[in-house]
Amino acid sequence: MFLKTFHLRSFLVPIAMLALMWIFFLLQNIGFFSGCTGAIIPLVPDGLSGVIFAPLLHGNLEHIIGNSMPIAILLFLLFEFYPKIAFKIFLIGWIACGLLVWMLPPVDIITGKWNYNCIIGASGVVYMLAFFIFFSGVFRWNMKLLTVSLVVALYYGSLIWGIFPEEFFSQMEAPSKISWQSHLAGSITGIILAFIFRKQGDKKIKYIWEYPDYYSEKDDKMWQEYIMNHPEDFEDLPQYKQENIWEYLDEIRKNEK
């Protein structure tokens, strides 16, 4: 009974995504995707394959565990509350985020030197989903979707700091291995998609009481039925006197003279 209230895809897609991530992680550990194979290498043609494969690859166990929970939760929210456009958002966001990461110059924010890194991990997709879900609720101004936005902000609000280089917040002996470029690209992509698709999907339901002067006694069937069945309740009430044209006959004749 509980499961009937949810869309089946809301469970199947996150499970499929997690399965793919862990299968690719196992393939990495047995020798496939060695080195920078399948990774995004900014501005390098060979790194374009990472647009497709990079979100499925992870550097270590801690890396994939850290991305598994948020990707599952955010995909569930996407497919549950935006079922009509969920696949579009997921696929377009995946590709657009990867392309934007590839186009961002790999500049070391501290030294200013170019630092070619192999970028892997699903964190860019996580940021894309989180920012889309949050801003989509804001742009649509739908109470249900705004509630979802607030839930995302409550649990994943700290993601905002990830769009900045880690070196901004701590002294580091070596360059950070966390790709703030992926986070920034994901957040930008999510906001843009939320704006573009703000009018697509399920339309906001506007109830009759949201309209001004919505009440009409003639449309109130229960009230009309009560009047018909209980006329005695209205006998003592002052009755509206209907106009009789013959009472104004003399006045009309005077005006015609």
Side-chain angles (χ1 to χ4, degrees):
M1 186 67 181
F2 175 75
L3 293 177
K4 289 182 179 179
T5 61
F6 296 100
H7 296 91
L8 183 59
R9 287 185 300 178
S10 304
F11 295 96
L12 295 181
V13 175
I15 292 172
M17 181 62 181
L18 289 177
L20 278 175
M21 287 169 56
W22 282 92
I23 288 171
F24 272 73
F25 183 68
L26 292 175
L27 291 175
Q28 285 179 265
N29 283 273
I30 61 176
F32 290 90
F33 300 100
S34 59
C36 284
T37 304
I40 296 176
I41 308 174
L43 302 179
V44 176
D46 291 342
L48 276 172
S49 62
V51 172
I52 303 297
F53 295 107
L56 301 174
L57 305 176
H58 293 82
N60 51 46
L61 190 61
E62 182 182 359
H63 190 195
I64 190 171
I65 290 176
N67 281 334
S68 292
M69 184 62 72
I71 200 79
I73 293 174
L74 292 171
L75 277 177
F76 170 80
L77 293 176
L78 176 68
F79 280 85
E80 180 60 31
F81 294 98
Y82 299 91
K84 293 185 178 180
I85 59 172
F87 276 116
K88 288 182 183 179
I89 298 301
F90 186 37
L91 296 178
I92 295 174
W94 182 307
I95 302 299
C97 177
L99 286 173
L100 186 55
V101 173
W102 183 83
M103 289 188 292
L104 289 175
V107 178
D108 189 311
I109 201 69
I110 302 300
T111 64
K113 297 179 180 180
W114 284 49
N115 183 19
Y116 287 98
N117 290 321
C118 304
I119 301 174
I120 57 176
S123 58
V125 178
V126 169
Y127 271 74
M128 181 274 294
L129 293 172
F131 276 72
F132 170 81
I133 293 171
F134 176 78
F135 281 96
S136 187
V138 174
F139 291 151
R140 293 166 186 264
W141 205 249
N142 179 298
M143 290 301 107
K144 180 178 72 173
L145 299 179
L146 272 173
T147 303
V148 178
S149 297
L150 292 175
V151 171
V152 171
L154 178 64
Y155 285 96
Y156 297 107
S158 60
L159 289 178
I160 188 67
W161 304 112
I163 67 175
F164 303 104
E166 195 176 6
E167 289 85 351
F168 280 5
F169 308 105
S170 60
Q171 298 291 333
M172 306 184 68
E173 297 180 358
S176 173
K177 294 183 179 180
I178 298 176
S179 175
W180 62 271
Q181 293 94 335
S182 294
H183 302 167
L184 178 62
S187 60
I188 293 173
T189 303
I191 295 172
I192 293 174
L193 289 176
F195 182 78
I196 293 174
F197 287 89
R198 69 190 185 281
K199 294 183 180 180
Q200 295 190 30
D202 294 333
K203 294 183 179 180
K204 180 183 178 182
I205 299 174
K206 194 169 185 179
Y207 297 97
I208 189 171
W209 55 80
E210 295 184 66
Y211 292 90
D213 303 325
Y214 74 91
Y215 181 76
S216 172
E217 189 174 293
K218 293 181 180 179
D219 295 331
D220 192 334
K221 294 182 180 180
M222 292 182 64
W223 175 246
Q224 295 301 325
E225 184 178 346
Y226 181 84
I227 293 175
M228 292 178 60
N229 296 333
H230 303 83
E232 67 279 1
D233 293 343
F234 303 91
E235 290 178 355
D236 295 335
L237 295 177
Q239 301 296 317
Y240 179 74
K241 186 178 180 181
Q242 295 184 353
E243 292 186 357
N244 186 350
I245 188 63
W246 299 105
E247 295 181 0
Y248 301 96
L249 187 58
D250 292 339
E251 185 177 349
I252 293 174
R253 288 172 177 171
K254 290 180 182 178
N255 291 333
E256 288 181 350
K257 292 181 180 180

